[in-house]
Each structure stands twice: as C-alpha cells, then as structure tokens.
Amino acid sequence: MAKISPSILSADFANLERDIHDIEKNGGDWVHVDVMDGLFVPNISIGIPVVKALRPVTALPLDVHLMIDRPIRYVEQFVKAGADWLTIHVESDTEENTLAALRKIRELGCKPSISLKPGTPAKAAEPFLKECDMILIMTVEPGFGGQKFMADMMPKLKELRTVLDHVNPQCILEVDGGVDGNTCALCKENGAEVLVAGSAYFKAQDRAAFVKTVQA
C-alpha cells in the first residue's frame, strides 16, 4: 500500500494545527513540509521555527523538503526542530557538500533523502543513492503548488527504481507535484511508494476518500 504525505503548502497557514489534525483524522501517513528560500526556488514559504512549532502537535512523521540553496548550512537545525525525513536537492550544492549533508542527517538520527528537479536526469542521483533512505522525484517545477503533473517524469522514476533495486533496495521513492486521484495510479505503477498531494488533498470534497484512493 502506498503512503500519502499531504503538503501543508496548500493548507491554511493561519490554522496549521487544525489542518494537520485533519490529515490525521482522514488517514494520512506523513505531513509534507515544503521549505523554500526564494533563492533555490523563486518562492518563500516557511522555515525552522514552523517545523519546531508543528512537531508537538502531531505524531505523524514530518516529511521536510528543503528547496533551499546550500542546505548543509541548515540540516542540523531542521533535524533538531523535529524532521523525521529530510530531503535536499542534488542541484542545490556541490557533490561533496551534498554527501556531507546526507551523512550528517543520518548521524543526527533523521532519514536522509535527495530530490531531483524535472530537468535533472536520474544519473545525477547515482553518487548519493547508497546514502539515502528515499529519493524524491519532482513531477512539477519546484517552488509553487497547484501545477500540472508532468507524466514524462515516469521513465525517470522507473529507471531509479531499477537502479535502486541493485544498489540500495530498501530506499523508497516519493513523487511530488500534481498528484491527484488519477495521476497517483501512474506514479505507483512506475515505482512510487510515497505520494505528496497538496492542492488535490486540501481541495477534495471527501478528503478521507481521496486518501484511500492514493493509498490503494
């Protein structure tokens, strides 16, 4: 069964505790937290104080996605704030710093993950695969919610699953961007085990039913 990680980027920021409890009530598995710095991506969202504030209000894993420049500067602070999974982008720093950041995340007791933008080939992930517990494939350009799903990312997803089965079979695949009640099936067919849904979840007339559709 797939997991769903609703993204609070589409939640009501004035009522985040309420909306996270709603995720719990409707059977969500994780809480996806999109962190943007206005440099690596053109938008600015939330940061370390919000993650720290969210940690006491839910027992669900906090799936923190750092869309920031040179994340090695902040990974320790995000882990200490309460992240359970911490994803950094391969495009955001040098290979050396990315490897160091992933190792630091694990040393601090958090699960390390990398993410690939749509224009980044699967091969770019290869230096990091043995250091990760998860790979996040973006199926939209990172930075804004509500974008259209990019089905042409599915070959990349499938390729990474094949490679991981040889080098790190325990590593799971997550998809983020345009996931809804229809596109989730395509993602799962191509190897996705965790699906991030923002606007599709929060705009669903029956959120519990949407969660079950994605998990099925």
Side-chain angles (χ1 to χ4, degrees), residues 72 88 90 92-103 123-124 126-128:
I72 192 169
I88 61 177
V90 300
S92 65
D93 208 339
T94 64
E95 180 178 324
E96 180 182 14
N97 282 347
T98 300
L99 285 168
L102 291 169
R103 289 165 183 158
K123 189 172 182 61
E126 289 182 3
F128 315 109

Side-chain angles (χ1 to χ4, degrees), residues 115-135:
S115 182
L116 303 178
K117 287 178 166 184
T120 303
K123 189 172 182 61
E126 289 182 3
F128 315 109
L129 297 182
K130 292 183 179 179
E131 302 291 340
C132 291
D133 289 337
M134 183 169 73
I135 312 293

Side-chain angles (χ1 to χ4, degrees), residues 34-109:
D34 287 306
V35 177
M36 307 178 193
D37 64 356
L39 295 172
F40 182 69
V41 293
N43 199 10
I44 297 175
S45 60
I46 56 179
I48 296 157
V50 175
V51 174
K52 188 175 182 179
L54 295 179
R55 181 66 285 167
V57 307
T58 182
L60 292 180
L62 294 181
D63 173 25
V64 180
H65 179 191
L66 300 184
M67 289 171 272
I68 66 173
D69 187 54
R70 292 170 292 151
I72 192 169
R73 298 174 296 160
Y74 298 108
V75 294
E76 183 171 355
Q77 294 175 69
F78 275 103
V79 172
K80 289 182 176 179
D84 295 286
W85 295 81
L86 194 58
T87 299
I88 61 177
H89 270 263
V90 300
E91 308 92 352
S92 65
D93 208 339
T94 64
E95 180 178 324
E96 180 182 14
N97 282 347
T98 300
L99 285 168
L102 291 169
R103 289 165 183 158
K104 178 172 275 194
I105 292 166
R106 188 179 300 282
E107 286 169 7
L108 292 166

